[in-house]
Amino acid sequence: MGNELIEIPVRTNRSNELVNVTGQVQKALTDSGVKEGILVAHVMHTTAAITINENADPDVVHDILLQLSKISPDCREFRHGEGNSDAHVKASLIGNSVTIPVSHSRLILGTWQGIYFCEFDGPRSRKLIVRVMGE
Ligand code: ZN
């Protein structure tokens, strides 16, 4: 059980966007049949990331994106020819994987926590890789 890599397609619609993927990740866990263990969700992109944060007030997502744009604005001193270095910096600040404990076939998340796929150079067709370990 839970030995396969699971691919979750994520379609993003904006240049910068946080997409709540909690439901898809929980479904991947349910389909794996694992009841007790851990789940790793990993982003195989250099201008996207993944994080866990508040799922209740959508203004939190807005404010995270606003602050990231101030921490990593477009900058004329950048050298990278693709012109998306601001997105590469944001992706490294947020990180490309999360690990979540699993118990009784459920992700152990707080009431106010959701899993967010973070797009920083969209819109694009992306994918999230999930692996569940346990029994
Ligand atoms: Zn680039």
Side-chain angles (χ1 to χ4, degrees), residues 47 80 82 84 88:
T47 55
H80 177 48
E82 279 189 319
N84 60 355
H88 287 289

Side-chain angles (χ1 to χ4, degrees), residues 14 16-21 51-69 94 112 114-120:
R14 298 184 194 162
N16 284 256
E17 181 179 17
L18 265 58
V19 180
N20 190 332
V21 292
T51 193
I52 295 173
N53 215 300
E54 173 159 339
N55 62 13
D57 179 1
D59 283 345
V60 172
V61 162
H62 169 274
D63 293 351
I64 289 171
L65 288 172
L66 177 69
Q67 194 64 20
L68 282 171
S69 73
I94 298 296
W112 311 115
I115 308 165
Y116 288 90
F117 184 94
C118 309
E119 175 63 80
F120 299 124

Side-chain angles (χ1 to χ4, degrees), residues 22-131:
T22 313
Q24 292 99 305
V25 175
Q26 177 61 55
K27 182 179 185 306
L29 169 59
T30 303
D31 292 348
S32 77
V34 171
K35 293 183 171 64
E36 303 294 328
I38 57 169
L39 177 147
V40 177
H42 172 67
V43 170
M44 292 176 65
H45 303 288
T46 60
T47 55
I50 188 167
T51 193
I52 295 173
N53 215 300
E54 173 159 339
N55 62 13
D57 179 1
D59 283 345
V60 172
V61 162
H62 169 274
D63 293 351
I64 289 171
L65 288 172
L66 177 69
Q67 194 64 20
L68 282 171
S69 73
K70 293 183 178 184
I71 295 168
S72 179
D74 196 16
C75 168
R76 43 194 285 280
E77 286 90 359
F78 283 149
R79 292 184 179 178
H80 177 48
E82 279 189 319
N84 60 355
S85 287
D86 59 320
H88 287 289
V89 172
K90 290 172 187 172
S92 272
L93 286 171
I94 298 296
N96 71 331
S97 71
V98 293
T99 306
I100 305 168
V102 168
S103 185
H104 298 94
S105 307
R106 304 293 303 172
L107 296 167
I108 301 304
L109 290 169
T111 305
W112 311 115
Q113 286 183 319
I115 308 165
Y116 288 90
F117 184 94
C118 309
E119 175 63 80
F120 299 124
D121 193 23
R124 295 195 198 207
S125 290
R126 302 288 206 173
K127 65 185 173 189
L128 184 59
I129 302 297
V130 170
R131 183 154 224 177

